[in-house]
Amino acid sequence: MHQFSSGKMFKHLDRIIEWQKTGLSRPITYELDMTNVCNNRCSFCFGFYGGKDRSVLSVTDAKDIVRQVKDFGGKAVTFTGGGDPLCNPATIEAVGFARRIGLDVGFISNGLSLDESAAEVLVDSCTWIRISLDAGTPEVYRLTHGLNGATFDRVVANIKLLVRKKKERKSKATIGTGFITFPAVTADMVPFVRISRDAGVDYAQFRPLLKEFSRKEINRRPDARTLKAVEKCLSLSNKGFDVLCSIHKYGNMKSNTIERGFKTCYGHHFAAVIAANKKMYLCCHMRGREKYCIGDLGKSSLREIWRSRRRRDVYGKINFKDCPLFCRCDGFNHILWDISQPILHENFL
């Protein structure tokens, strides 16, 4: 069971039982956006890039939110976006605070604004850090992140900086790189893995591109070149370096399987999203969509929002046509849907 396995939720049987008995649980993990500002121009971004919302959390507000997460039974918080967390000067202090009060911390960034002092706090505080590189050459980086070759080189150097700081400070943080796959970037998959391996990270991860809010736009059936490249990349794993991918997603795409296999988004009960404008949304794919806003931390506490009629109403009106296939909660939903269904002869294993 690797770090991206949905089966990890069985480590939290108490929350699953709580949900089964009451129909309500408390989130185990939270995504927290420190800002909606970003210094990249990724064309496939699920965040706020290109929009008018340029919210930034103050360090005071961030600490208050993190404290509420802890007090409401949260186990972990991922600093992500939104925009890029390193575009907010308050982020590094908030990361350190989250760890000091006992939360596990994850961190996702494009890596462009990383410096030595930030790297030291991150490797000291985080359980894991992932840099979204999405390229193996400057040319493809220009396509995926909208920036030039010098920027690509700088980000690669910053990844190496993280690895160096991890070694110097004897950190146990897992460091990885991410790559979103679609046919136009297939040729860069192997170079990306080699760059990541040479940089000394612990893993390189592939995920298929999910375009925003429209089933019609999803690349349901990857071309043969992408699937062959995935196989080639997997063979490049070695001791101390793993190539990981959401293999079930590629399998479903290959077979053109587009049915979800569940009828209700139960995963929402276990993973929450807090945006930089202090609003909470139903999931990470719904940031900025008022239809799926479940509350505002500027007006109510986290506990009040989670137990509110507003959250129940929004949850009850989820329209899967608004959701990408193979979404963030997809794996959780398959597990929870199976658990929720009647079982014949349950004592015969």
Side-chain angles (χ1 to χ4, degrees):
M1 187 182 295
H2 60 70
Q3 59 263 48
F4 301 110
S5 171
S6 299
K8 288 189 297 184
M9 71 183 317
F10 287 117
K11 293 286 188 180
H12 303 278
L13 287 175
D14 58 329
R15 296 295 173 86
I16 294 176
I17 292 169
E18 180 182 6
W19 164 72
Q20 285 181 300
K21 288 182 176 179
T22 68
L24 182 69
S25 183
R26 290 161 295 149
I28 296 163
T29 184
Y30 290 75
E31 293 190 13
L32 175 60
D33 302 345
M34 289 296 296
T35 180
N36 291 335
V37 176
C38 190
N39 51 10
N40 278 212
R41 298 190 290 271
C42 303
S43 58
F44 48 74
C45 181
F46 267 107
F48 285 84
Y49 165 66
K52 295 181 180 179
D53 190 327
R54 297 178 65 82
S55 299
V56 177
L57 281 178
S58 69
V59 69
T60 301
D61 286 339
K63 287 181 176 180
D64 175 64
I65 290 170
V66 168
R67 173 61 73 181
Q68 289 190 61
V69 166
K70 173 69 174 177
D71 291 345
F72 195 52
K75 304 290 187 182
V77 59
T78 299
F79 290 83
T80 179
D84 188 85
L86 291 174
C87 287
N88 183 348
T91 294
I92 295 302
E93 185 174 346
V95 166
F97 176 77
R99 184 68 199 117
R100 286 194 300 276
I101 66 172
L103 291 169
D104 286 341
V105 178
F107 198 84
I108 301 174
S109 171
N110 59 45
L112 180 56
S113 296
L114 191 69
D115 58 27
E116 290 214 12
S117 60
E120 289 177 355
V121 174
L122 291 178
V123 299
D124 288 347
S125 305
C126 294
T127 302
W128 57 269
I129 305 160
R130 188 170 78 237
I131 303 299
S132 302
L133 187 57
D134 303 302
T137 62
E139 292 73 24
V140 168
Y141 190 75
R142 186 176 294 111
L143 172 66
T144 56
H145 283 250
L147 300 173
N148 60 30
T151 306
F152 174 75
D153 292 339
R154 179 177 170 184
V155 172
V156 172
N158 285 345
I159 294 170
K160 294 177 180 178
L161 167 65
L162 267 178
V163 172
R164 177 167 58 84
K165 288 298 180 182
K166 173 183 174 177
K167 293 177 180 177
E168 289 177 356
R169 302 175 79 81
K170 296 179 172 56
S171 166
K172 295 182 179 180
T174 300
I175 299 174
T177 53
F179 188 110
I180 301 294
T181 64
F182 54 99
V185 299
T186 298
D188 258 31
M189 292 172 65
V190 170
F192 158 77
V193 169
R194 288 177 173 153
I195 285 175
S196 300
R197 186 178 60 185
D198 293 346
V201 300
D202 299 294
Y203 71 88
Q205 181 202 15
F206 291 107
R207 291 177 295 148
L209 172 64
L210 304 183
K211 291 189 178 178
E212 197 169 7
F213 311 133
S214 172
R215 295 172 64 131
K216 294 180 181 179
E217 293 182 354
I218 294 172
N219 174 30
R220 295 174 180 163
R221 194 176 181 89
D223 63 8
R225 289 174 60 248
T226 299
L227 295 171
K228 186 175 181 180
V230 168
E231 294 178 3
K232 172 65 175 176
C233 290
L234 290 173
S235 73
L236 296 176
S237 295
N238 59 29
K239 185 177 181 180
F241 174 74
D242 292 318
V243 177
L244 304 173
C245 71
S246 303
I247 196 66
H248 69 285
K249 296 181 181 180
Y250 287 99
N252 288 343
M253 293 165 73
K254 181 179 180 180
S255 63
N256 207 27
T257 302
I258 62 173
E259 295 303 320
R260 295 185 184 276
F262 52 85
K263 297 181 180 179
T264 305
C265 180
Y266 292 133
H268 157 68
H269 294 289
F270 299 87
V273 175
I274 302 169
N277 57 12
K278 299 185 186 179
K279 292 184 178 182
M280 296 186 68
Y281 294 96
L282 195 70
C283 80
C284 62
H285 303 295
M286 300 303 173
R287 284 182 174 92
R289 301 196 77 190
E290 290 305 305
K291 175 182 178 181
Y292 291 107
C293 175
I294 63 173
D296 187 338
L297 285 167
K299 300 176 181 178
S300 307
S301 70
L302 192 158
R303 186 182 301 268
E304 290 169 340
I305 290 171
W306 203 253
R307 294 176 173 174
S308 69
R309 179 180 294 276
R310 168 71 182 178
R311 187 183 81 90
R312 292 195 299 271
D313 289 346
V314 171
Y315 176 72
K317 296 177 182 177
I318 295 173
N319 186 341
F320 279 164
K321 291 182 179 180
D322 293 334
C323 307
L325 290 168
F326 319 127
C327 67
R328 168 72 172 80
C329 287
D330 184 79
F332 303 133
N333 281 326
H334 281 284
I335 291 170
L336 295 167
W337 178 257
D338 287 344
I339 290 174
S340 70
Q341 301 308 297
I343 299 175
L344 294 176
H345 315 305
E346 65 183 31
N347 294 328
F348 291 89
L349 303 180

